[in-house]
Amino acid sequence: MLATLKRWSGLDRASLLHAAGLAGSAWLAFAIAAALHVQNAYWAAMPVFVVAQASRGLLIERAFYRLVGTGLGAALGFAIVRLGQPVAELALLAVVVAIGAGLTHILRGVHSYGTFMVGMTAAVVVFPSVLAPEHATEIAVARVECTFIGVLVVTLVMGLITPFSRRDAFYRRARKLAAEAVSFAATAVA
């Protein structure tokens, strides 16, 4: 059965394991959020697919910046909401998002992900307060809780099955890709 699935899908064992880990992480994150009676528990599955990475180091680093960015963005968002003036809230949100977006172009690699999440999470907190103030706090808190649940679950589950980065394997793939590109270019020129 596994051989048939591998042949049909074109995926190798590692890819199937990765896919199963992602599916299991999403299900577990949703199940935990639902068991805790978090509003809109399906949100907990969303960060699973964004945080997962091809190597363990990148996974842990991305999860760290997602948690820090979400926490800081939520704190800023809730501070902005306390103003109680929709125009001022949107203006301050614009400043937070602009700074976060600007820093994504200054910081390199996964570091920029944290600043991106600050702006994104602040928007997730502030927009509902402007559009539907009667339920804004519950929606924002649930979204932040689901994000934390999803990130922690995917880090723990995928951290067990995601391999460490191997620099030599990367260089082998890069050399192979370069050779294929040169071969393709030679064929195109001929």
Side-chain angles (χ1 to χ4, degrees):
M1 165 119 169
L2 185 59
T4 304
L5 180 61
K6 284 171 54 176
R7 198 171 36 256
W8 175 80
S9 69
L11 299 174
D12 60 3
R13 184 182 191 318
S15 297
L16 288 172
L17 179 62
H18 189 78
L22 285 174
S25 296
W27 176 85
L28 183 58
F30 168 74
I32 290 170
L36 294 173
H37 304 289
V38 177
Q39 183 180 358
N40 300 313
Y42 61 89
W43 284 336
M46 292 178 192
V48 166
F49 303 104
V50 178
V51 172
Q53 297 294 304
S55 70
R56 191 173 301 160
L58 288 174
L59 167 73
I60 292 168
E61 197 173 23
R62 191 163 178 105
F64 172 77
Y65 286 109
R66 178 72 185 246
L67 292 173
V68 170
T70 298
L72 185 56
L76 288 171
F78 285 119
I80 290 170
V81 167
R82 293 194 46 92
L83 292 174
Q85 301 294 323
V87 174
E89 290 174 18
L90 291 175
L92 276 176
L93 175 63
V95 170
V96 169
V97 170
I99 290 170
L103 286 173
T104 63
H105 297 286
I106 295 170
L107 299 173
R108 294 288 172 220
V110 75
H111 300 96
S112 66
Y113 185 60
T115 62
F116 172 74
M117 290 315 305
V118 169
M120 179 74 76
T121 305
V124 165
V125 171
V126 173
F127 278 137
S129 75
V130 172
L131 302 174
E134 61 277 354
H135 300 294
T137 302
E138 298 86 30
I139 292 170
V141 168
R143 187 66 182 257
V144 171
E145 289 172 340
C146 284
T147 299
F148 282 130
I149 292 168
V151 171
L152 292 173
V153 167
V154 72
T155 304
L156 293 173
V157 172
M158 295 304 290
L160 296 173
I161 61 174
T162 302
F164 285 104
S165 174
R166 294 192 55 220
R167 187 173 292 183
D168 57 332
F170 169 75
Y171 287 135
R172 250 192 329 276
R173 287 193 313 264
R175 282 192 297 273
K176 181 180 176 193
L177 180 63
E180 289 173 0
V182 167
S183 174
F184 177 78
T187 303
V189 168

